[in-house]
Amino acid sequence: MSSQAPSAQKYVLCCAGCGKKLSPATDRCPDCSDALLRTNYATKVFSPTDRRDVFRYLDWLPPEGSLETTVGPVVYRSEALATRLDLSRLYVGFNGYAPEIGARNPTGSFKDFEALPTLLRFREQGKEAIILASAGNTARAFAYAATILGFTACLVVPEAMLHKLWLPRKTSDAVRLVVLERSADYAEAIRLASLLSERFGIPAEGGARNVARRDGMGTVVLEHVRVTGHLPNHYVQAVGSGTGAIAAWEASMRLIASGAYAAALPKLHLVQNAPFTPIHDAWTTGRPIRPDEDVSGQLDRIRAIDADVLANRNPPFTVAGGVRDALRATDGCTYAVTNAEIASAQELFADAEKLPISPEAGAAVAALRQAALAGRIRRDESVLLNVTGNNDALLRRDYELHPVTPWLRIPPGEVSRRGIGRWADRFERQGTQPGWQD
Ligand SMILES: *Cc1c(COP(=O)(O)O)cnc(C)c1O
């Protein structure tokens, strides 16, 4: 692990609601409790180093230190898919695992960009444990990063996503996988994680509020600019929480503020999998997202989608600096695509680019196809297609995949302050160092 001399002021946080500058140790603006905070780095010039991993952008990532890793974005110019879609400047951000094109993200999705910067930042802040909820891919990325760093990570996952919890290496004891039994609901896992965090004093990872996570995801846009020399006109991504979309917007603003790039923000094209499309519905109808309305209907729709990583009932849509602001600022638009459209887009991509992609990335390709056909994206405009992940096909070819074994199983009836009380002995902690004891 390398670490630079700590600079007291690598960055400050800035409230997206009121613009107030806050110390890096803050979680929330004292005046706008819901608003997202953003990093404001001392270094304004875009100057990637010649490293090949995500830490080539360390100037614009929260941690001071870094480590040798294969994690990082890959952007290449598409020929075959571009031809099929009649686009002349299509760039693919391939953020999974495909060593044939230099992509070596160990858990196969862009969640790998979030996990290392987050854990390094927590450690630099004196925290040695973290808790987070996940629909699968985030837990996998954090399990890997926690294993590499020997950092205690408590990962709360609905049982229906358990099959996604594998790693291309053995998991260390630092990983504490908590399974919410008989559940497919990410929102309920979030609730359980927040109860456990509060009751047992385990620092929460923060989700969309976590700046290390957002700045890690934003490196896809930085990589595009490093490779092409300009910001894309369009950015296409499948969203569940929309954190990656907010991150793409923020990275673009940072590049524009550097003074070296044209002032037009990339237009966000955000896609969800019908019939579960809360962000698309809220954006196109103007009605607010109601995570607690008709929950059983929502769960039925969640069970019906193939891109299940996108199943977030409570995305940061209306908060200052959230998804709605990102769509407004970029004159963005949203899409709803069916399982059949996703499957056909996955096939199209695999056939054209010779690489398998996940259903979520398939959703992005399906939206790109619609946008190109409808003339929303014109032939000569530049596009960054975020292939956010490609699941396990190529990892399975190259590695033995090890399942992460559950550390604790919690029945659905116990997701309450009282219910979790009976697990107190398991979470008995000794301050925050080194996490808590078994
Ligand atoms: C998390 C994830 C998404 C959605 O990302 P958000 O921007 O957080 O909504 C899309 N695709 C894959 C493969 C993911 O893992």
Side-chain angles (χ1 to χ4, degrees), residues 57 119 153-154 205 215 220 272 284-285 288 329 406 408 410 418 427-428 437:
Y57 303 112
L119 297 190
C154 182
E205 167 272 333
D215 290 354
V220 185
Q272 298 200 288
T284 51
T285 66
L408 184 63
I410 297 190
R418 263 180 94 205
F427 286 96
E428 207 57 5
Q437 288 202 315

Tab-separated table of all heavy atoms in Angstrom, residues 57 119 153-154 205 215 220 272 284-285 288 329 406 408 410 418 427-428 437:
chain	number	residue	atom	x	y	z
A	57	TYR	N	-6.746	8.242	-11.046
A	57	TYR	CA	-7.530	9.452	-10.780
A	57	TYR	C	-7.537	9.817	-9.300
A	57	TYR	O	-8.497	10.412	-8.812
A	57	TYR	CB	-8.962	9.246	-11.295
A	57	TYR	CG	-8.988	8.915	-12.764
A	57	TYR	CD1	-9.379	7.660	-13.219
A	57	TYR	CD2	-8.550	9.848	-13.696
A	57	TYR	CE1	-9.358	7.349	-14.567
A	57	TYR	CE2	-8.521	9.548	-15.045
A	57	TYR	CZ	-8.921	8.294	-15.471
A	57	TYR	OH	-8.892	7.993	-16.810
A	119	LEU	N	-13.402	1.967	1.383
A	119	LEU	CA	-12.756	1.353	2.559
A	119	LEU	C	-11.465	2.090	2.920
A	119	LEU	O	-11.158	2.272	4.100
A	119	LEU	CB	-12.492	-0.135	2.329
A	119	LEU	CG	-13.748	-1.004	2.136
A	119	LEU	CD1	-13.390	-2.493	2.159
A	119	LEU	CD2	-14.820	-0.717	3.179
A	153	ALA	N	-16.258	-5.994	7.143
A	153	ALA	CA	-17.412	-5.512	6.384
A	153	ALA	C	-18.607	-6.400	6.663
A	153	ALA	O	-18.560	-7.610	6.439
A	153	ALA	CB	-17.104	-5.499	4.887
A	154	CYS	N	-19.687	-5.794	7.161
A	154	CYS	CA	-20.927	-6.513	7.415
A	154	CYS	C	-21.866	-6.238	6.245
A	154	CYS	O	-22.242	-5.093	6.000
A	154	CYS	CB	-21.510	-6.008	8.726
A	154	CYS	SG	-23.014	-6.852	9.181
A	205	GLU	N	-22.176	2.609	5.544
A	205	GLU	CA	-21.430	2.951	4.337
A	205	GLU	C	-22.001	4.207	3.665
A	205	GLU	O	-21.268	5.002	3.097
A	205	GLU	CB	-21.452	1.719	3.417
A	205	GLU	CG	-21.005	1.922	2.001
A	205	GLU	CD	-22.128	2.347	1.090
A	205	GLU	OE1	-23.298	2.021	1.358
A	205	GLU	OE2	-21.821	3.025	0.103
A	215	ASP	N	-17.525	9.187	-6.401
A	215	ASP	CA	-16.340	9.587	-7.159
A	215	ASP	C	-15.658	8.377	-7.801
A	215	ASP	O	-15.061	8.479	-8.868
A	215	ASP	CB	-15.378	10.389	-6.277
A	215	ASP	CG	-15.957	11.773	-5.935
A	215	ASP	OD1	-17.022	12.122	-6.476
A	215	ASP	OD2	-15.337	12.495	-5.127
A	220	VAL	N	-15.535	6.444	-14.730
A	220	VAL	CA	-15.875	5.994	-16.090
A	220	VAL	C	-15.852	7.193	-17.043
A	220	VAL	O	-15.342	7.112	-18.166
A	220	VAL	CB	-17.285	5.350	-16.115
A	220	VAL	CG1	-17.578	4.782	-17.487
A	220	VAL	CG2	-17.425	4.300	-15.042
A	272	GLN	N	-34.496	1.693	-16.922
A	272	GLN	CA	-34.906	0.695	-15.929
A	272	GLN	C	-35.649	-0.432	-16.639
A	272	GLN	O	-36.003	-0.331	-17.801
A	272	GLN	CB	-35.775	1.354	-14.859
A	272	GLN	CG	-34.996	2.434	-14.101
A	272	GLN	CD	-35.612	2.765	-12.756
A	272	GLN	OE1	-36.661	3.384	-12.701
A	272	GLN	NE2	-34.958	2.347	-11.673
A	284	THR	N	-41.152	10.777	-15.708
A	284	THR	CA	-42.051	11.019	-16.829
A	284	THR	C	-43.437	11.496	-16.380
A	284	THR	O	-44.137	12.150	-17.143
A	284	THR	CB	-42.203	9.764	-17.727
A	284	THR	OG1	-42.529	8.648	-16.890
A	284	THR	CG2	-40.924	9.458	-18.483
A	285	THR	N	-43.829	11.188	-15.136
A	285	THR	CA	-45.163	11.618	-14.692
A	285	THR	C	-45.089	12.798	-13.728
A	285	THR	O	-46.103	13.459	-13.488
A	285	THR	CB	-45.908	10.493	-13.936
A	285	THR	OG1	-45.210	10.227	-12.718
A	285	THR	CG2	-46.004	9.236	-14.779
A	288	PRO	N	-44.221	11.801	-7.168
A	288	PRO	CA	-43.097	11.373	-6.331
A	288	PRO	C	-42.998	9.846	-6.210
A	288	PRO	O	-43.989	9.150	-6.414
A	288	PRO	CB	-43.413	11.996	-4.962
A	288	PRO	CG	-44.877	12.266	-4.977
A	288	PRO	CD	-45.268	12.483	-6.397
A	329	ALA	N	-30.430	18.979	-14.988
A	329	ALA	CA	-29.241	19.744	-15.366
A	329	ALA	C	-28.693	19.309	-16.723
A	329	ALA	O	-28.074	20.107	-17.422
A	329	ALA	CB	-28.166	19.581	-14.293
A	406	PRO	N	-22.782	-17.402	4.588
A	406	PRO	CA	-23.496	-16.540	5.536
A	406	PRO	C	-22.919	-16.643	6.944
A	406	PRO	O	-22.530	-17.719	7.392
A	406	PRO	CB	-24.933	-17.081	5.491
A	406	PRO	CG	-25.052	-17.722	4.155
A	406	PRO	CD	-23.703	-18.308	3.852
A	408	LEU	N	-24.662	-14.900	9.454
A	408	LEU	CA	-25.863	-14.804	10.278
A	408	LEU	C	-27.075	-14.778	9.345
A	408	LEU	O	-27.043	-14.138	8.300
A	408	LEU	CB	-25.813	-13.497	11.082
A	408	LEU	CG	-26.928	-13.236	12.079
A	408	LEU	CD1	-26.937	-14.282	13.178
A	408	LEU	CD2	-26.756	-11.849	12.705
A	410	ILE	N	-31.142	-13.846	9.369
A	410	ILE	CA	-32.171	-13.178	10.163
A	410	ILE	C	-33.531	-13.399	9.503
A	410	ILE	O	-33.718	-13.066	8.326
A	410	ILE	CB	-31.848	-11.677	10.324
A	410	ILE	CG1	-30.523	-11.552	11.104
A	410	ILE	CG2	-32.989	-10.936	11.022
A	410	ILE	CD1	-30.169	-10.163	11.568
A	418	ARG	N	-36.484	-4.397	18.309
A	418	ARG	CA	-36.553	-5.483	19.296
A	418	ARG	C	-36.011	-6.775	18.728
A	418	ARG	O	-35.246	-7.484	19.372
A	418	ARG	CB	-38.008	-5.685	19.717
A	418	ARG	CG	-38.333	-4.970	21.010
A	418	ARG	CD	-39.768	-5.201	21.383
A	418	ARG	NE	-39.899	-6.327	22.284
A	418	ARG	CZ	-41.012	-7.034	22.396
A	418	ARG	NH1	-42.041	-6.772	21.629
A	418	ARG	NH2	-41.080	-8.017	23.257
A	427	PHE	N	-22.865	-9.343	17.781
A	427	PHE	CA	-22.347	-8.043	17.341
A	427	PHE	C	-21.586	-7.297	18.428
A	427	PHE	O	-21.136	-6.201	18.213
A	427	PHE	CB	-23.498	-7.158	16.845
A	427	PHE	CG	-24.038	-7.576	15.506
A	427	PHE	CD1	-25.143	-8.391	15.419
A	427	PHE	CD2	-23.416	-7.158	14.340
A	427	PHE	CE1	-25.643	-8.786	14.185
A	427	PHE	CE2	-23.903	-7.546	13.100
A	427	PHE	CZ	-25.021	-8.361	13.028
A	428	GLU	N	-21.495	-7.937	19.608
A	428	GLU	CA	-20.790	-7.316	20.732
A	428	GLU	C	-19.493	-6.721	20.208
A	428	GLU	O	-18.655	-7.401	19.655
A	428	GLU	CB	-20.485	-8.398	21.775
A	428	GLU	CG	-20.364	-7.941	23.184
A	428	GLU	CD	-21.589	-7.196	23.722
A	428	GLU	OE1	-22.646	-7.070	23.047
A	428	GLU	OE2	-21.460	-6.724	24.821
A	437	GLN	N	-16.339	-8.293	17.749
A	437	GLN	CA	-15.870	-9.660	17.942
A	437	GLN	C	-16.888	-10.686	17.489
A	437	GLN	O	-18.075	-10.433	17.480
A	437	GLN	CB	-15.599	-9.883	19.416
A	437	GLN	CG	-14.376	-9.170	19.886
A	437	GLN	CD	-13.861	-9.823	21.146
A	437	GLN	OE1	-14.640	-10.116	22.033
A	437	GLN	NE2	-12.581	-10.049	21.198
